[in-house]
Amino acid sequence: LFFEDARIVYSDAFTEADLSLSVALERKDCHLQARAILEDTHRKQKWEGKHSREVPLSEQEVVRKHSKQALKMAILDAFEQYTGKRQPWGILTGIRPTKLIHDKLAKGMSYEQAIEMTQKQTGISARKLALMERIIRRQFSAIPDLYHLRGEVSVYIGIPYCPTKCAYCTFPAYDIRGKQGSVSDFLRGLHYEMEKV
């Protein structure tokens, strides 16, 4: 996210690297404290990223998930300090960012609570969170009973062309400006498949 052609080396011992990153995670009862120290080995300067959160004591899998997110947030903080670059999607990777908010809404949270918690957990910018909320409200206008569907089928059709490629996205997608010649062929094939199905 921060460097075009970075080579990453995992090591317990110092190597001849431009930057060195070390991370630590402490847990006391329901509290996690993550730290990331980024050192510029040439200039002998350090940047420290921190993130803390409350976690339930119960399930090990839940604690593991929170630990991973806390470490990612600390690392993001350190790299943003070092580069001066802000990552609008925070630590988000994968697909369907709106699912993070949908999950919270389905558990009874308000939009405000769901958005605030998502921001704290992921570092997504206010602008991207506003975009996610607009998408969710549009989804509810089309499918008002989204969380109460029973015995129905939800179909997802992936269109592998986007105006831009988001940093978090793991889809095989293409910039629509670079592949316009094939968009029509793709849509023709998609329509054909839909008719046959």
Side-chain angles (χ1 to χ4, degrees):
L1 294 177
F2 292 97
F3 305 104
E4 289 288 319
D5 296 314
R7 187 171 64 92
I8 299 171
V9 177
Y10 297 94
S11 174
D12 290 335
F14 178 77
T15 59
E16 293 296 322
D18 298 312
L19 295 173
S20 173
L21 176 69
S22 57
V23 295
L25 183 69
E26 288 181 37
R27 180 176 172 207
K28 281 190 180 171
D29 298 322
C30 293
H31 188 76
L32 279 177
Q33 177 70 44
R35 289 178 55 218
I37 298 174
L38 182 66
E39 182 178 359
D40 184 320
T41 55
H42 302 295
R43 296 189 314 198
K44 304 292 185 217
Q45 287 181 286
K46 292 183 181 183
W47 292 263
E48 183 173 6
K50 292 181 181 178
H51 184 77
S52 60
R53 66 174 56 188
E54 298 296 317
V55 295
L57 283 171
S58 56
E59 298 176 40
Q60 189 64 27
E61 197 57 40
V62 172
V63 173
R64 192 174 299 124
K65 176 184 167 193
H66 282 281
S67 299
K68 186 176 175 181
Q69 286 177 341
L71 284 168
K72 285 180 176 182
M73 288 291 287
I75 292 167
L76 178 71
D77 183 20
F79 274 99
E80 285 184 342
Q81 288 178 50
Y82 175 73
T83 63
K85 294 179 186 176
R86 171 91 169 92
Q87 294 298 331
W89 289 105
I91 63 168
L92 196 61
T93 58
I95 57 172
R96 295 181 57 211
T98 55
K99 187 173 188 270
L100 298 171
I101 295 175
H102 273 302
D103 289 346
K104 292 169 181 60
L105 293 174
K107 291 176 183 169
M109 284 188 188
S110 68
Y111 272 105
E112 294 76 22
Q113 291 169 321
I115 287 170
E116 182 181 346
M117 183 178 276
T118 300
Q119 198 287 325
K120 283 181 182 175
Q121 291 175 341
T122 63
I124 299 172
S125 72
R127 199 171 116 247
K128 295 300 183 187
L129 284 165
L131 171 64
M132 291 165 65
E133 184 178 2
R134 284 195 314 272
I135 291 168
I136 289 169
R137 289 189 188 276
R138 177 74 50 92
Q139 289 171 330
F140 279 127
S141 70
I143 310 172
D145 60 343
L146 182 64
Y147 300 149
H148 306 289
L149 297 174
R150 296 287 182 261
E152 297 182 35
V153 174
S154 177
V155 176
Y156 175 81
I157 299 173
I159 309 289
Y161 301 99
C162 296
T164 60
K165 178 83 166 151
C166 295
Y168 72 82
C169 183
T170 56
F171 269 136
Y174 307 96
D175 184 328
I176 199 163
R177 291 169 299 225
K179 297 279 186 178
Q180 278 198 328
S182 58
V183 173
S184 298
D185 293 340
F186 174 84
L187 291 175
R188 263 194 302 282
L190 178 61
H191 291 153
Y192 175 81
E193 284 192 25
M194 289 168 73
E195 287 171 8
K196 293 301 177 190
V197 168

